[in-house]
């Protein structure tokens, strides 16, 4: 029978967007401080970093994987969505900001997105015996394309799901879905947390990165899923899973784009959720609130392609330039991780 004993230490890899290489630096700092996590809880871009950490034996191999030619080609192959014309994208963002209504209608998570992901995400396939366990956060859709545009009313649209081994499922059995807490949720998310022990890691990562308006929902075994943004700061899950939690202190959501999107699709008050998370206890808080400033020139960003009437990704064309970008992200994460962990060891 699977143990219900908590893990010793959980590192939460919460988001990161296309700067996910900095999580490898944070993890390396934890190892160098003698606080190697035995559980990685990943959401969104952090799920990619978590899978790479769990699949490779040491920090240099993990950094090499993220900086590899296949990963660079994967990112270069991300293309604007066929329906992501600028007037539609900008108009939708403006509408969400102006209306300010919490999930008034069933959202289009099938055709309304900015980017197409290549079919294969280059992740390590090995699962090393001494590797940390993986828990990946995603959202399961409770509606289909035929429901898009209908008034939601009191309908539940999403379930928060954690993909992981049986031990994770046992520890989270009966747990409430943090995303559904009425202090920040309007009821679009089901109140009970779901777990899935059968989802392949590659699919779980693909699900977690498939955030609304960025990528289309992901289909696995006939079910549709959206990204880890449903619970971007899962501190309650980490606390239930491990005796010690290492987590980021994140910068506020963008009030013009991110907050309206969370409210319109998931019915979430992102600012209230983040404020609550930052008030919780953790063994170490890794302060990455300045990541947007420090890595502004060292991360993949969005750019407007006026000629193509699309929003694209600004991925370095040169592999050497990409490698330099990844190393800057890793160095940032290592520096921030060391600062937080050394402080808690004093």
């Amino acid at each position: 029978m699977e143990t219900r004993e908590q893990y010793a230490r959980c590192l939460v890899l919460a988001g990161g967007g296309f700067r996910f290489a900095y999580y490898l630096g944070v993890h390396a700092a934890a190892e160098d401080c003698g606080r190697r996590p035995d559980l990685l809880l990943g959401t969104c871009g952090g799920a990619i970093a978590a899978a790479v950490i769990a699949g490779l034996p040491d920090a240099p191999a993990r950094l090499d994987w993220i900086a590899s030619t296949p990963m660079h080609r994967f990112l270069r192959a991300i293309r604007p969505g066929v329906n992501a014309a600028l007037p539609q994208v900008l108009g939708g963002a403006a509408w969400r900001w102006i209306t300010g209504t919490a999930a008034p209608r069933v959202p289009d998570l099938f055709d309304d997105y900015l980017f197409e992901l290549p079919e294969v995400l280059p992740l390590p396939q090995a699962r090393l015996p001494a590797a940390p366990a993986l828990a990946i956060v995603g959202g399961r859709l409770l509606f289909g394309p035929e429901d898009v545009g209908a008034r939601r009313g009191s309908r539940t649209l999403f379930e928060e799901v954690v993909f992981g081994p049986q031990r994770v499922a046992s520890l989270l059995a009966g747990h409430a879905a943090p995303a559904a807490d009425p202090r920040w949720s309007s009821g679009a998310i089901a109140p009970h947390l779901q777990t899935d022990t059968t989802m392949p890691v590659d699919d779980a990562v693909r699900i977690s990165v498939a955030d609304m308006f960025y990528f289309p929902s992901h289909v696995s075994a006939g079910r549709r899923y959206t990204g880890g943004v449903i619970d971007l700061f899962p501190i309650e899950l980490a606390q239930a899973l491990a005796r010690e939690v290492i987590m980021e202190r994140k910068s506020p959501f963008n009030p013009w784009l991110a907050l309206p999107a969370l409210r319109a699709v998931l019915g979430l008050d992102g600012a209230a959720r983040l404020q609550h998370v930052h008030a919780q206890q953790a063994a170490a808080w890794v302060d990455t609130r300045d990541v947007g400033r420090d890595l502004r020139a060292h991360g993949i960003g969005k750019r407007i392609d006026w000629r193509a009437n699309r929003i694209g990704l600004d991925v370095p064309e040169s592999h050497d330039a990409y490698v330099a970008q990844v190393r800057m992200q890793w160095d940032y994460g290592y520096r921030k991780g060391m600062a937080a962990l050394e402080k808690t060891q004093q």
Side-chain angles (χ1 to χ4, degrees):
M1 183 175 179
E2 188 69 32
T3 178
R4 290 180 63 100
E5 181 183 357
Q6 284 185 299
Y7 291 88
R9 185 175 297 110
C10 174
L11 173 61
V12 182
L13 300 88
F18 293 106
R19 306 186 190 101
F20 51 81
Y22 77 77
Y23 283 120
L24 274 64
V26 174
H27 182 269
E31 288 187 312
D32 287 351
C33 289
R35 296 170 73 176
R36 180 181 181 270
D38 57 346
L39 174 66
L40 303 174
L41 177 57
T43 68
C44 300
I48 298 176
V52 170
I53 292 168
L56 295 167
D58 53 45
R62 296 159 188 153
L63 178 58
D64 286 347
W65 187 281
I66 293 292
S68 68
T69 297
M71 185 63 78
H72 180 231
R73 287 175 179 164
F74 171 81
L75 294 170
R76 290 279 297 169
I78 297 174
R79 294 288 180 261
V82 294
N83 296 322
L86 280 176
Q88 176 180 332
V89 171
L90 299 177
W95 178 84
R96 290 188 289 273
W97 180 75
I98 292 170
T99 57
T101 307
R105 295 181 179 275
V106 178
D108 185 355
L109 302 188
F110 313 101
D111 296 311
D112 185 7
Y113 55 87
L114 289 175
F115 305 111
E116 299 272 5
L117 279 171
E119 184 174 349
V120 178
L121 177 58
L123 296 174
Q125 296 305 302
R127 292 293 173 262
L128 305 177
L134 283 179
I136 306 295
V137 176
R140 182 183 291 141
L141 273 60
L142 302 179
F143 60 91
E146 69 279 3
D147 300 311
V148 169
R151 291 189 177 277
R152 179 176 71 90
S154 59
R155 181 177 178 177
T156 302
L157 300 179
F158 304 94
E159 290 178 323
E160 183 177 347
V161 187
V162 177
F163 307 101
Q166 185 58 51
R167 182 177 176 184
V168 165
S170 297
L171 287 166
L172 295 178
H175 202 288
D181 192 298
R183 285 173 289 183
W184 43 78
S185 175
S186 68
I189 300 170
H192 299 296
L193 182 73
Q194 304 297 317
T195 58
D196 186 331
T197 64
T198 64
M199 185 69 70
V201 170
D202 287 20
D203 275 304
V205 173
R206 273 297 282 267
I207 287 167
S208 201
V209 302
D211 285 349
M212 72 274 188
F213 300 132
Y214 276 88
F215 304 111
S217 57
H218 182 69
V219 180
S220 180
R223 303 294 299 268
R224 291 184 179 270
Y225 298 87
T226 192
V229 73
I230 193 170
D231 192 1
L232 196 56
F233 317 113
I235 192 167
E236 297 92 346
L237 303 183
Q239 291 168 338
L241 290 168
R243 297 189 297 275
E244 181 175 306
V245 175
I246 302 171
M247 189 165 173
E248 284 175 274
R249 196 172 296 281
K250 306 280 277 190
S251 58
F253 286 106
N254 183 304
W256 312 107
L257 297 174
L259 286 180
L262 289 169
R263 183 172 57 239
V265 175
L266 299 170
L268 291 177
D269 181 341
R273 172 65 176 150
L274 183 58
Q275 182 180 28
H276 172 82
V277 168
H278 283 171
Q280 304 308 299
Q281 292 295 315
W285 286 100
V286 180
D287 191 348
T288 61
R289 287 175 292 182
D290 58 1
V291 65
R293 182 196 67 205
D294 281 19
L295 294 181
R296 187 180 304 278
H298 306 291
I300 296 170
K302 296 183 289 294
R303 58 177 175 80
I304 295 178
D305 186 340
W306 295 105
R307 181 174 297 181
N309 192 32
R310 291 288 189 276
I311 293 179
L313 287 180
D314 192 15
V315 183
E317 184 174 351
S318 157
H319 181 248
D320 287 344
Y322 169 70
V323 171
Q325 187 180 84
V326 167
R327 290 186 178 278
M328 290 293 293
Q329 294 174 22
W330 191 98
D331 289 345
Y332 171 87
Y334 187 83
R335 174 167 49 87
K336 291 292 185 175
M338 289 297 291
L341 293 163
E342 287 179 343
K343 180 179 180 181
T344 62
Q345 287 178 331
Q346 292 175 355

